[in-house]
Amino acid sequence: MDCADIIQLLSDYHDGALDEMLAGPVRTHLVLCLECGVIFNDLTLIVTQAVVLREGQGIALPDENVIWQRIGIIRRAPSRP
Ligand SMILES: [Zn+2]
């Protein structure tokens, strides 16, 4: 299997949906190939963050009204020399 094959299987591998005949080569490739390993780590991070956000434990988003107030203050402020 080459990198393109591995990338096609990464999501299923992450979800544990591959049988061992496919999971084994993917696991080995991820140990040996830095690029695919990085992609797999990114996928894991994205999935983890999505779960956190879905469960409502995500980062606190700033209040949109406060942001627009700040923008208005900045736009009205006199320019500095
Ligand atoms: Zn690779």
Side-chain angles (χ1 to χ4, degrees):
M1 277 195 244
D2 62 13
C3 294
D5 297 327
I6 296 299
I7 295 206
Q8 289 291 320
L9 297 171
L10 274 187
S11 181
D12 287 340
Y13 176 76
H14 180 272
D15 295 343
L18 297 180
D19 61 37
E20 192 55 30
M21 291 288 289
L22 287 173
V26 172
R27 187 179 310 110
T28 300
H29 187 93
L30 292 177
V31 170
L32 300 175
C33 178
L34 179 62
E35 291 179 16
C36 288
V38 168
I39 292 170
F40 182 70
N41 288 339
D42 287 347
L43 173 66
T44 301
L45 180 64
I46 290 167
V47 170
T48 302
Q49 290 297 314
V51 169
V52 169
L53 290 172
R54 186 177 58 211
E55 293 175 354
Q57 301 169 0
I59 57 173
L61 297 175
D63 185 330
E64 182 180 350
N65 292 327
V66 172
I67 292 173
W68 283 113
Q69 288 174 353
R70 289 179 183 163
I71 290 171
I73 290 169
I74 291 170
R75 292 178 79 189
R76 287 191 300 267
S79 60
R80 297 181 184 147

